[in-house]
Amino acid sequence: MLRQSLQPARLLGARAWPVSMPAVRMSLGRPYSNKIMPTSSRRLYSDSKTTRDTPSPEDPTQTLIQADSISSVIRQDHREIEEHYNKIVNSSDPDTQRRYQNAFVWELTRHAIAEELVVYPSIETGVNDGKIMADKDRAEHQVTKEQLYKFQNMKPEDKDFIPTLETLMTDLKQHIKEEEEHDLVKLEEALLPKRSRDLAQQFEMTKAFTPTRSHPSAPNKPPFETAAGLMAAPLDKLRDMFRAWPNEPSRKPPSGGPAR
């Protein structure tokens, strides 16, 4: 397929953020805009391979991915989600399971919403049969969100805790496989390298402003998902302060409370 620039997907631009969020002016709906992020933040990125050396705009003690493509940041998220899953199922300590349960929900929720806001609109507008692909992905996400909502409200001591997680991961692994082997391949074929890097940067920035818990009844398409996310995110982030997290800084949100 010939490489081509994609038309920007029209989403709802957000100019005023809630008090709990950093005052960053950006448009969540323009994957290819040169104004994806402020110039000072844009300098944090380069053409080097994926790393985690770049300071996060939310918290200088944490980092963002420095990415060479949208595929690389999505694959990195997938690996982290799988790692959180493995930490939970391979542990017999309820406290460890609870900490990684919170990390799993946090990472998967943000990842799914960022895909729906940034990636799927680009697939719809730039890939042959893209709307069919994006609708299928959204439907699979909806199943995952409903399963995740059930899992996030469970305790490690519950007898269905691990079976619920395993059911979720069975469906999610199939989704990840198809996304990495088909959807992302088609998207990268349709993107110029710079467009892919721009999309990766916006994907990471979008994750900083999404809800951090599953809300399966929320809209899954822009612009309504953008508005719903901006309303739900502050409360989620406030509650994150009182949850237990793994000791590694990269496995908890900036608003996450101290390990306890």
Side-chain angles (χ1 to χ4, degrees):
M1 179 184 296
L2 294 178
R3 293 182 177 273
Q4 57 182 331
S5 299
L6 304 183
Q7 286 293 108
R10 293 183 176 272
L11 311 182
L12 177 63
R15 292 182 177 272
W17 302 102
V19 182
S20 61
M21 299 180 182
V24 178
R25 291 183 65 184
M26 58 178 284
S27 170
L28 294 183
R30 300 181 62 196
Y32 309 118
S33 170
N34 291 328
K35 297 181 180 179
I36 289 173
M37 59 178 67
T39 303
S40 58
S41 296
R42 201 158 56 238
R43 285 198 297 266
L44 296 175
Y45 294 89
S46 74
D47 293 344
S48 62
K49 64 182 180 180
T50 299
T51 68
R52 288 189 176 273
D53 300 329
T54 303
S56 165
E58 282 193 307
D59 184 350
T61 65
Q62 298 198 44
T63 58
L64 282 176
I65 292 176
Q66 190 174 29
D68 58 1
S69 70
I70 183 60
S71 295
S72 66
V73 296
I74 291 178
R75 288 192 176 95
Q76 178 69 22
D77 275 8
H78 289 166
R79 302 295 84 79
E80 290 189 3
I81 291 166
E82 291 166 352
E83 185 175 349
H84 295 336
Y85 164 78
N86 290 331
K87 290 281 189 180
I88 296 169
V89 298
N90 292 327
S91 175
S92 58
D93 175 39
D95 182 64
T96 299
Q97 290 178 322
R98 178 169 58 100
R99 293 174 188 274
Y100 281 97
Q101 175 192 22
N102 288 331
F104 178 88
V105 172
W106 175 66
E107 188 63 55
L108 180 53
T109 298
R110 293 158 60 245
H111 172 85
I113 295 174
E115 283 191 333
E116 291 167 0
L117 289 176
V118 177
V119 180
Y120 295 166
S122 299
I123 290 176
E124 284 180 323
T125 58
V127 177
N128 289 337
D129 296 324
K131 188 178 187 309
I132 295 174
M133 292 166 55
D135 286 346
K136 177 177 179 293
D137 287 335
R138 287 192 182 98
E140 292 172 353
H141 271 199
Q142 185 60 32
V143 172
T144 296
K145 288 177 184 178
E146 291 169 359
Q147 294 171 329
L148 188 62
Y149 181 79
K150 179 180 179 181
F151 177 68
Q152 72 187 17
N153 292 309
M154 300 182 79
K155 298 178 180 178
E157 295 82 6
D158 294 339
K159 62 182 179 63
D160 291 332
F161 181 79
I162 294 297
T164 299
L165 177 59
E166 289 177 335
T167 298
L168 187 162
M169 278 302 293
T170 297
D171 294 334
L172 184 59
K173 285 179 179 178
Q174 182 62 32
H175 172 79
I176 287 174
K177 183 176 186 295
E178 293 175 359
E179 191 169 73
E180 291 186 358
E181 295 180 359
H182 181 265
D183 297 13
L184 292 178
V185 174
K186 295 295 184 183
L187 180 59
E188 292 289 6
E189 288 176 351
L191 290 172
L192 295 171
K194 184 181 183 302
R195 298 302 194 192
S196 184
R197 289 194 297 271
D198 288 348
L199 202 59
Q201 291 174 14
Q202 185 170 356
F203 180 83
E204 287 297 319
M205 289 297 294
T206 300
K207 284 168 58 181
F209 301 105
T210 65
T212 60
R213 306 290 280 184
S214 179
H215 301 279
S217 61
N220 63 2
K221 287 185 178 182
F224 304 107
E225 184 172 23
T226 309
L230 290 175
M231 290 187 289
L235 184 58
D236 284 351
K237 292 174 184 291
L238 177 63
R239 289 172 174 168
D240 285 343
M241 296 176 65
F242 303 98
R243 295 188 175 102
W245 301 92
N247 292 324
E248 305 96 318
S250 63
R251 306 198 185 276
K252 66 179 181 180
S255 58
R260 59 187 184 276

